[in-house]
Structure formats: structure tokens, C-alpha cells
Amino acid sequence: MQHHLDTNRANWDDRAAAHAARNGLGYHVQRYVDDPGLLSEIVRFDLDRLDDIAGLRTVHLQCHIGTDTLSLARLGARVTGLDFSPVALAEARALVAETGDQVDFVESDVYSALSVLEPETFDLVYTGIGALCWLPSIDRWAAVVGGLLAPGGRLFLREGHPILWTMDERIADDLHLRFPYFEQEEPLEWDDDSSYVETGRPITATKTFEWNHGLGEIVTALLGAGLNLTMLVEHDSVPWEALPGQMLQRGDGEYALDALAGVAPLSYTIQAVKPLR
């Protein structure tokens, strides 16, 4: 597992630098400097479901370069971003130093979060899309979430649907299920020099390891960690072109299936609450 973690970290170190470039590509981070009220498209998508978070002690797990993290701060939350990539955190700190947003950042992998953050002190644990596939055990993740939340606190997660992760994106004009839906002990190994956003150069640390987790496994893990499920909404879109040649981009930056619209969920939003003692 350490090899998998180190390999994925090298990939995300490389991606972080490319994603934060100020050349109009990647995450277009200059927009957050130019517009102090701008929220990321990821946070805006779930704004009504997220509800008022002003004043909430919030931790954003797997925060990457901090665009969603600072967006939560702009909604009034007191936010700490956590990520295992030192390059991503350096970019995130540089960005908020420029924007003036009040965010703290901590370096750690998710499974070690309880050793670097005080347990049961967060009103909100937030995770944005494209995060869970990098974690080998969904039960361990749920236990960390439960450990971070204060009684009455909640998890808020939007993620790519596990049925999407089973699809073979290399086959155009149809949907083909090829990869495991349920969590497997051994990961899928990938070797790819591109990223999910346009970058000005190829990724050089090309190998990654990923694990899928079925929706039932995720829900069961959260229940097993003592949380109560309060929301589960499936969506017909994702915020990147997950299946090239088969999707149309909407005005909100989301991509939905074109000819096969509505045949499968592509992402979901889930919320779970830690009971009061």
C-alpha cells in the first residue's frame, strides 16, 4: 500500500503544478484572485443542498490546490484543507495568500487525518468530486470522517458515481461496463500523461492506482461509522468530460451524456450526520 500511496502522491504533485498554472488552463486560478466573490463550480453545483455554513468548523479532505476550499471560506466557514501532496498545498497556500481568504492547510493522507487534526471538533467534513477512488478502503475512510465530526456535525460529499467508474471511456458511441463496481483489494493500475482538465504540458509522473467503491458500500460504511444518512441525490452530470465524444457541456460547466442521456447516473451527493450524544 505504501507503494500505491507514494506513486499516487507523485502523480498529484505533478498535477498540482500543472493545475495551478496561470496560463488560462488547468483550474483557471487567476479568476479567484480577480474576483473575490467567485465560488468554484463544484461548490456552486451543490449550493442549495449545502445550505448555510457560515461559522461552521470545516475540514475539506483531499483539498488539492484549494479552489473548493477557499470557496467554502467565502461562504463563511472556518476551513482547514487537508491533502497528502506538498506541492498541492504549496499552491493552495500561495493562492489564498494572494486572494486573502482565511484558510489553514495541513499535510496528511486521509487515513492519518486524526493524528494531525483534533478529533470530534468539526461541524462539517466536506469532500469534493474525484476523491474516493484514491482510497483503498471505504470503511477506513468512513471511520476517519466519523472521528473528525463533532456530535451533530455532518459529512457533505459529492462524488463520481461508481457506475461511471466502471465504464470504458476509450470506447466511443456506446456505454461499456468493464471495470469493477465493488471495492477490490487490488487496485486498477493506470499509466496516462493527461489530466481531467486541460494543462499546458503532459503529466510526467504518469502511473496511478485507483479503487472503486459501490454506492451501497459507501452508505453501509457511513452507517457502520455511526452516522445517519440524511441525503442521497444522484445526478446525470459530472464536472469534466468523463466520456469523451459522448457528452455535452452545460452552461454550469457540467457534462451530461448526449445520445444516451439519462441512461445512467454519473455523480451523486450524499450527506450524513453524527448523532448528538
Side-chain angles (χ1 to χ4, degrees):
M1 285 298 175
Q2 189 62 44
H3 169 65
H4 298 152
L5 180 68
D6 292 342
T7 301
N8 285 345
R9 183 187 287 112
N11 175 265
W12 281 101
D13 283 347
D14 197 13
R15 287 201 212 201
H19 290 174
R22 303 297 181 96
N23 56 5
L25 302 176
Y27 275 55
H28 305 280
V29 295
Q30 186 61 39
R31 297 178 303 161
Y32 299 93
V33 179
D34 297 338
D35 182 355
L38 180 68
L39 303 178
S40 70
E41 292 171 346
I42 302 298
V43 170
R44 286 204 309 270
F45 180 86
D46 275 312
L47 205 52
D48 291 341
R49 286 176 281 268
L50 187 60
D51 208 358
D52 183 12
I53 62 171
L56 296 188
R57 298 163 297 175
T58 299
V59 59
H60 178 192
L61 300 180
Q62 297 167 273
C63 68
H64 193 37
I65 62 171
T67 53
D68 297 338
T69 324
L70 68 82
S71 297
L72 298 173
R74 291 178 176 186
L75 292 173
R78 295 180 284 155
V79 190
T80 298
L82 179 141
D83 200 274
F84 75 158
S85 165
V87 177
L89 292 178
E91 296 289 359
R93 291 183 179 113
L95 178 59
V96 298
E98 207 171 341
T99 64
D101 294 293
Q102 298 302 306
V103 182
D104 295 321
F105 291 100
V106 176
E107 183 180 336
S108 173
D109 68 273
V110 170
Y111 294 146
S112 301
L114 289 168
S115 66
V116 297
L117 299 171
E118 188 174 353
E120 294 195 300
T121 58
F122 292 97
D123 305 306
L124 176 65
V125 173
Y126 178 91
T127 299
I129 200 160
L132 297 188
C133 62
W134 304 101
L135 304 176
S137 168
I138 202 65
D139 286 334
R140 288 182 64 192
W141 167 80
V144 170
V145 170
L148 290 170
L149 285 171
R154 59 182 168 129
L155 163 74
F156 193 93
L157 164 76
R158 186 186 178 205
E159 186 51 280
H161 202 285
I163 198 66
L164 173 63
W165 303 131
T166 70
M167 297 178 186
D168 193 338
E169 66 183 49
R170 299 166 298 181
I171 301 176
D173 304 324
D174 204 353
L175 300 182
H176 294 263
L177 305 188
R178 177 180 178 182
F179 304 110
Y181 178 86
F182 298 106
E183 183 180 299
Q184 307 291 314
E185 183 176 352
E186 292 300 317
L188 293 173
E189 182 174 350
W190 302 97
D191 196 337
D192 189 356
D193 68 357
S194 64
S195 190
Y196 51 88
V197 293
E198 187 179 2
T199 58
R201 61 168 176 81
I203 303 301
T204 56
T206 57
K207 286 192 176 181
T208 56
F209 297 96
E210 298 180 31
W211 296 261
N212 201 4
H213 314 284
L215 191 57
E217 292 175 326
I218 295 165
V219 170
T220 301
L222 293 171
L223 296 176
L227 306 184
N228 295 328
L229 191 70
T230 57
M231 181 193 303
L232 177 56
V233 183
E234 295 176 296
H235 311 293
D236 66 353
S237 65
V238 287
W240 81 99
E241 192 176 9
L243 299 167
Q246 300 189 62
M247 310 189 85
L248 292 175
Q249 187 175 19
R250 296 174 173 171
D252 59 357
E254 292 280 308
Y255 288 84
L257 289 169
D258 184 7
L260 298 172
V263 304
L266 300 180
S267 63
Y268 66 94
T269 301
I270 197 167
Q271 182 175 266
V273 175
K274 186 170 183 175
L276 294 169
R277 291 195 178 99

